[in-house]
Amino acid sequence: MTAVEAGETATTPSQDRRGSEDDGGAGAGGVLSRAHRALTVGIVSVVLVIAFEATAVGTAMPVAARDLDGVALYAFAFSGYFTTSLFGMVLAGQWSDRDGPLGSLASGIAAFAAGLLLSGTAGGMWTFILGRAVQGLGGGLVIVALYVVVGRAYPQRLRPSIMAAFAAAWVVPSVVGPLAAGAVTEHLGWRWVFVGIPALVGVPLALALPQIRRRASGSAGTGDRRPPDRRRIRLAFGIALGAGLLQYAAQDLRPFSLLPAAAGTALLVPAVRGLLPHGTWRAARGLPSVVLLRGVSAGGFIAAESFVPLMLVTQRGLSPTLAGLSLAAGGGTWALGSWVQARPRVEPYRERLMFVGMLLVAAAVAAAPSVLIPAVPVWTVAVAWAFGCFGMGLVIASTSVLLLQLSAPEEAGANSAALQISDALSNVLLLAVGGAAFAALGGGAVAGAATSAASGAPASHPAAFAAVFLPMAGVALLGAWVTTRLREPRGTA
């Protein structure tokens, strides 16, 4: 998610001017100085709630899918979120550049909470997936708005630190979230995990919104209130609908599914070309490769991570709590990686750090399915994931920093949306590929595996899980190559 910012990365004169202007005035001090403290606490609190949701819901998801007879649709529960978030991201970019990020952030948090409530009260798997879709719309609105806030309210020299603070906000939820969600799931039921999280929404709203209204509201650039770009909104709808059709086709696996697959592709290709920077898919140097790396790194990692709890519950007989805790250490190492990239002394080596980070991700994803061999200890996943998350911390925060550096103020919303679209679209497509391979090799037959696992006889479908993890390791290796394309050519003006 973050791009490499080598010490000799070329910048334009306008970028140099923005950097010098940003470092004056309110730039004195750190992210917790008097000038920035309230805003920092508020927006980091928003990230904290999102982090609790991600870790808690991921722990409860295998049990929810089993109880709703929807294990065969397991990938939909994740990709449904990412599909609608694609539309939300473009909408948020337009909204934030036109009117400021305040409205997008407030509406996004409200939709996020409503989606959780809908999933928590669902009577069937498709209603559950609908709730995840509403939640995804809210998540898309929130994440782009947060990037615009960072770009407007913080000087350039503080942006790596605030991105590191976002990563640090995942540490406590990564440890507490699986424990709390596992305990609630086992003793009260998985539904309480979903309906309980919205109670946390009020605190971030109270902290963040007043500060955003004061420091980051209004249109950017010349002050002119530009009309909405209806073409981008149409493309956003096309990309979301196309991604949804491809995901449906991947899960159906019947000859009839070729029709929605063709329709999805016809919608998706022109929409992607219109919404992402020119040259993204050929890894053109500079901003296009930053956007591409975000998608490659996040998509491969998240697609693999989504199946870790299910693999441990159904193949090794772990409880939901222990399966969720296998990912807990990753929150701390992700934050550590993000902290490392924020150190000024590593700036000349950022590109190399990101290359190493993607190698760590590839190794972690490839090592995870080794626990399908009974002789391999289950804690192998926890160790591997800790290293993989460290690599992701190096990569994700850096792409965010570089994107803001390469964006004019009036383009920050649209470019942030492009970065997040690459992230979410890659998640959808790679989850579709992984989910199709999982279902084709008998993954849907693990519906009763959690019950049999509890009795000491977990079901055996190792090939279905290996078909998810090993290709995603290859995607991470592709990301390692993309890190060599992040630096703009010398002499670029």
Side-chain angles (χ1 to χ4, degrees), residues 236-305:
F237 182 77
I239 202 173
L241 180 58
L245 288 171
L246 283 176
Q247 174 66 20
Y248 173 80
Q251 291 292 294
D252 195 324
L253 297 179
R254 292 181 298 174
F256 173 79
S257 65
L258 293 175
L259 292 178
T265 302
L267 287 169
L268 199 60
V269 171
V272 169
R273 290 174 63 88
L275 291 172
L276 299 187
H278 179 70
T280 296
W281 296 113
R282 57 182 174 85
R285 290 187 178 274
L287 184 62
S289 284
V290 173
V291 172
L292 177 61
L293 179 62
R294 181 62 164 259
V296 169
S297 59
F301 189 79
I302 297 301
E305 186 177 63

Side-chain angles (χ1 to χ4, degrees), residues 308-319 322-323 367-381 449-450 452-462 465:
V308 169
L310 187 67
M311 178 175 66
L312 294 177
V313 168
T314 61
Q315 303 302 297
R316 296 302 295 264
L318 269 64
S319 68
L322 291 177
S370 65
V371 299
L372 295 169
I373 303 172
V376 175
V378 292
W379 50 259
T380 301
V381 171
S452 59
S455 63
S460 178
H461 297 277
F465 288 99

Side-chain angles (χ1 to χ4, degrees), residues 3 22 32 46 48 98 126 142 155 202 228 236 243 260 283-284 323 328 338 343 348 350 375 437 488:
D22 280 346
L32 290 177
V46 173
L48 191 68
R98 175 180 165 86
W126 283 111
V142 168
S338 188
R343 300 305 91 197
R350 187 179 292 271
E488 292 182 326

Side-chain angles (χ1 to χ4, degrees), residues 57-58 60-81 115-135 190-191 194 247-248 251 306-307 310 431 438 443-444 446-447:
V57 167
M61 195 74 77
V63 178
R66 182 199 66 195
D67 287 354
L68 295 173
D69 296 324
V71 172
L73 301 173
Y74 185 76
F76 264 132
F78 292 95
S79 62
Y81 178 101
L116 283 166
L117 291 173
L118 181 57
S119 289
T121 56
M125 192 62 180
W126 283 111
T127 305
F128 180 88
I129 292 170
L130 176 62
R132 292 285 289 165
V134 173
Q135 188 185 345
W190 62 267
R191 295 181 185 277
F194 288 84
Q247 174 66 20
Y248 173 80
Q251 291 292 294
S306 300
F307 284 85
L310 187 67
L431 274 167
F438 181 74
V446 303

Side-chain angles (χ1 to χ4, degrees), residues 22-43 149-150 152-155 157-158 162 207-208 210-216:
D22 280 346
D23 287 334
V31 295
L32 290 177
S33 65
R34 178 175 297 181
H36 298 103
R37 185 182 303 127
L39 179 61
T40 297
V41 172
I43 61 177
V149 170
V150 171
R152 290 193 183 190
Y154 292 87
R157 66 181 182 83
L158 292 183
I162 194 64
L207 289 171
Q211 289 297 317
I212 294 171
R213 180 181 293 110
R214 183 170 68 87
R215 305 195 47 187

